[in-house]
Amino acid sequence: MPTDDLGSLVVQSWRGTTPEGVDVPYLLACPLGDGANGPEATAKAIEQLLESAGLPLGEGLVDATQRPSMPVSLLVVPGSAVLTVQHLKSQFVPPETWLEAVAGLGSAYLIFATRPWPEGAEPGDVETLAAFTSDEDVLTSAVHVVLPARSLRG
């Protein structure tokens, strides 16, 4: 898989509350579609990356807390976090409410989309994020993972 086909990756974090009142930390990882050979090649490169990490599309919800050898991880430290999938690392600064929800649950719900973020939309735009994460095509072409949150232990 040519790494220049991956292009840029955006990671966004937010907290949602279930009808039962449980705070859930969510992560969305998706390409910007700016890989060397365009959005279609980027989507294919993301698909290959996910499959090589043991996350084939269409598998349903993957509980990585039960699969510790999976090459997908989430490291959370005060004020920031790092999502790693295989060799790809993305550091981001989540909101405090997200950090609190991760501390409470010990995990986050990752949606890793193969579809690119909407062209021209700013990452972090709440309305675009809501529309993107509720789009059926985006959700069915994404990998969904319950990802344990790890921290540095001193």
Side-chain angles (χ1 to χ4, degrees):
M1 160 186 58
T3 55
D4 56 346
D5 277 344
L6 287 173
S8 304
L9 183 73
V10 64
V11 176
Q12 300 179 74
S13 55
W14 73 100
R15 184 206 68 186
T17 305
T18 67
E20 296 79 27
V22 177
D23 287 339
V24 177
Y26 290 96
L27 279 176
L28 169 68
C30 66
L32 291 181
D34 60 354
N37 294 303
E40 293 80 20
T42 297
K44 188 67 178 163
I46 293 290
E47 239 178 89
Q48 289 174 348
L49 172 76
L50 295 171
E51 286 177 9
S52 69
L55 297 168
L57 298 176
E59 190 173 305
L61 182 62
V62 176
D63 186 351
T65 64
Q66 303 299 314
R67 294 163 73 175
S69 63
M70 185 172 279
V72 180
S73 66
L74 176 63
L75 174 66
V76 179
V77 296
S80 71
V82 178
L83 173 66
T84 302
V85 179
Q86 294 282 66
H87 61 278
L88 185 67
K89 292 182 187 299
S90 184
Q91 184 173 352
F92 59 99
V93 178
E96 188 60 37
T97 55
W98 185 89
L99 291 168
E100 291 167 2
V102 165
L105 278 183
S107 61
Y109 188 110
L110 169 65
I111 302 167
F112 203 125
T114 58
R115 299 273 173 114
W117 182 251
E119 189 175 337
E122 286 294 317
D125 177 69
V126 176
E127 289 180 18
T128 305
L129 179 63
F132 191 78
T133 57
S134 62
D135 182 302
E136 193 65 31
D137 288 337
V138 169
L139 293 176
T140 57
S141 65
V143 170
H144 301 261
V145 184
V146 175
L147 197 54
R150 295 181 172 89
S151 62
L152 297 175
R153 307 223 191 268

